[in-house]
Amino acid sequence: MIGNIFLVIALVAGIFTVLMYFLTYRGYQNTLNYARISFHTTAVMVMAASALLLHAILTHEYQYKYVYNYSNSELPTGLLISTFYAGQEGSFMLWALFSVIVGLILLDYTSKRGDLEPRVMMIYTLSITFLLIMVNPLLKSPFNYIWAEPDFVDIKNINPTYLTIPALQNFIFTDTQSNKQFIQVSKELYNILHANNIPFDKFIIEGKGLNPLLQNFWMQVHPPMLFIGFAMSAVPFAFALAALLKNDYKEWIKQALPWVLAGMMILGLAIMLGGYWAYGVLGWGGYWGWDPVENSSLVPWLIGVASIHTMLVQKKSQERDGTSRFVKTNLILCIMTYILVLYSTFLTRSGILGDASVHSFVDPGMTVYLFLLIFLFSFLILGVGMIFYRWKYLTEHFTYEENILSRELALFTGSVALIASAIIILVGTSAPIFGQTVDISFYNELNLPIAIIIGLLNGLSILLKWKYTDKSQLLKSLQLPIIASIILTAIIFILSGVQNIMLIILTFSSSFTFFVNGEIALSILKGRKSFIGAYIAHIGIALFLVGVVATGGYSKHQQVDLVKGEKVNLFGYELKFTGYKPIEGGKKYAFNVEIRKGNDVKVASPIMYIAEFNNSLMREPDILEGFSKDFYIAPISYDETGTENSNSVKLKKGETFNFKNKEITFTNFVLPEDMSAMMSGKSFKIGVNLQVNFNGKTIYIEPYMENTSDGPRFYPAELKEADLKVFINNMNASEGIVELTFASISNTESIQSEPKEILTIEASIKPFISLIWIGVAVTVIGFLISTFRRLKESMN
Amino acid sequence: MKNKYMFGGIIIVVFLGLMIYLFTQTNVQYENDFAKVMKSGKTVKATGTWLRDRSYELDKTNKIFSFYIKDINGNVMKVIYHGAMPNNFESSTSIVVTGKYSNGVFQATDILTKCPSKYQEQTVQKAGS
């Protein structure tokens, strides 16, 4: 209850902050202090509400629906904390929490830089109020009590001592399908418990728990990072709108630049952490699957990165000759970055992608859906409306011509390439809204040439000078990197075997980026080191792209059956399944696979287990990581043949089953002529008459069951010309059902022999996937250095 | 101004053109009416539910997984998939299979299973009412 009060106060204070900042912006003298106090109130209230929610989770207060739905007492502390944002309400809370923290820093930052504060903070606080409306008790607050709306709670989560209370019997339901019992919690139940002096947190003693897919280390890192990125992406939006409000477009660029850099660094890192999660734990096989959820956060990142480059042009041109180039581009890109974050939220949270994504999100209900739309459109209209309003002024004052051989034009063209990539991904990802969907190849084929263009433009833009470049000078500076790139590309492809022309060009293009940036980075090391950021970031991108080429073009994968104790040769390695053992107290099973190359033996232990949470088989891959390649083992299934026949079919009378081009119809049971044997319990036979159609022929065969004093024995039937053997597994003569196993005679040993333990895995070799992670780390370092450099400059 | 629009324009026009072309080539439609799926023979994403009472088959030697799927109108078709049984298959409430219908069966290249976390509540609500 207190949590909801905090959230409501936060929301009201937020609205008041926006109002006070607006009045300050309009020239009122004494409203600034109110605005600041009020913003701090919002911040403190959001923090207090978050602390309260965390406390409720840590102390297992299951009277809160949110706590009940996503956590339980078995989770270790780290994961328990992460259930804070396992559901929709909590993740919006987390977003709001990071937003107020970013807001406090932003307030301090803007208050030291001219008259920025009222305009920027007004817009930024507006974005916070929208988030606070999302978690408001009327929409979806994490503090809503479980009895507020009728809900069913599994009886195993209820304190058994209270179940005998007669008044409760009316609330117990049995699900006929699963035979589970549930208690319907509602206001009436709450009143009854209250009347009996039973506190609700003693009544429900266990929660539903966290989805096992989310139970790993990355759950504790990836989502918070993503929400910090989201929270920070509203800052450039606020700066752009502040500039439009004042109709002054000079100052905001240098003031916003460190924020854009830091925001995109964090968002980019968050996206790739998600990629590593998918690769290393979820067993998707790759670092990127073009899944709608991944895509929808990549799109704003691409736009944000494009904006960094054109903002740099404006900043440089202002410093050099007072002209402001790409003013409109910068405004639009900064606004669109945040709009696309909101659009991404809408796509992934509204349930609209229901069928298209691996991340299944539950339909959040109509009100949330509508509010998300309102949220999105409010900011879209605000942003686009302001640009529209100032368009004439902008066009009259900021129209310039760029020289062909200028860094300005190269950077602009590079940004356009990034934008094109963003549009392509956006269209592909949005297609499910219209009942369409695109193949993965759509993204790969279109983004490959864009990556090539970006790599080439990147190297070129650095060799080009601002404003104008002398042709002969450019050609001279191009020589060394081009020659080096050709040599490197040639070496790579001679070693690996040439296959795909586009991948060769991409390798050349990323080598070009690598050498151009590397050369400059080396020379900077002797000079002003704070200038090295961009070059390091670009080297990281180049390494990343080489990793993309290597894993994309040269990965090998194959599904193999590993019989326990038997060696299998694969990709030049020798694989042997040595058995499984229970881990984590018997909750999971690790399947040990010995991987031998020469004298080097390593053991990979992919994991499989049945999760109680959703009653399904969970699989976790294991990876032998190396610099030049990863050996990736994803478990698929484990079987003990002989104890269970995987190939079995249940047939009713008259039904047909198709086995290797043979049509087998179960016609009828052949009962013993002398029924008395059956009645008196003596031994008797029942045949299963099967009609086999193959090669245009029809032949009948009859496997049978003999019922002896030892119980039933089944006898198979063979049909040599059809290479068919049929086993009976079970039959039910009264219902007319028989369960059969079909096999080829030439291949029946495995069914009759001793039980075998077979582990089926998907093994793959991912060459140089390490370059992807190294590239990301290097890029992040580059971003970090640049952020500090631009932060210093923003004070001037 | 001209250079800027020329270079930026070329990239945008070329790639958006390519995009539209590839979109029409690779797009796959969602279809919940199997009558249409069987008729058209095009690659689609067919959505339906698994017919529990007809179980499923796992052909180990040929690595074929097959089962029956039902659409909203009650049309049933057999789905054949070369690969392992997907996670969550048995607890799924709905299934999206990508592929095309030929020779009397739906040849799936991909299976997506949907298991809402509210699954329990839904079944109970049915039983309770």
Side-chain angles (χ1 to χ4, degrees), chain A residues 354 401 436-437 616 619 639, chain B residues 1 27-28 60 87-88 114:
Chain A
E401 172 62 60
Q436 308 269 329
T437 169
S616 57
R619 306 171 170 119
D639 269 305
Chain B
M1 206 81 249
N27 83 318
V28 180
K60 272 276 144 151
N87 277 355
N88 297 342
K114 290 272 131 186

Side-chain angles (χ1 to χ4, degrees), chain B residues 31-34 47-49 70-75:
Chain B
E31 189 59 78
N32 55 15
D33 182 358
F34 293 171
T47 53
T49 50
K70 191 173 83 174
D71 72 357
I72 41 167
N73 303 325
N75 295 321

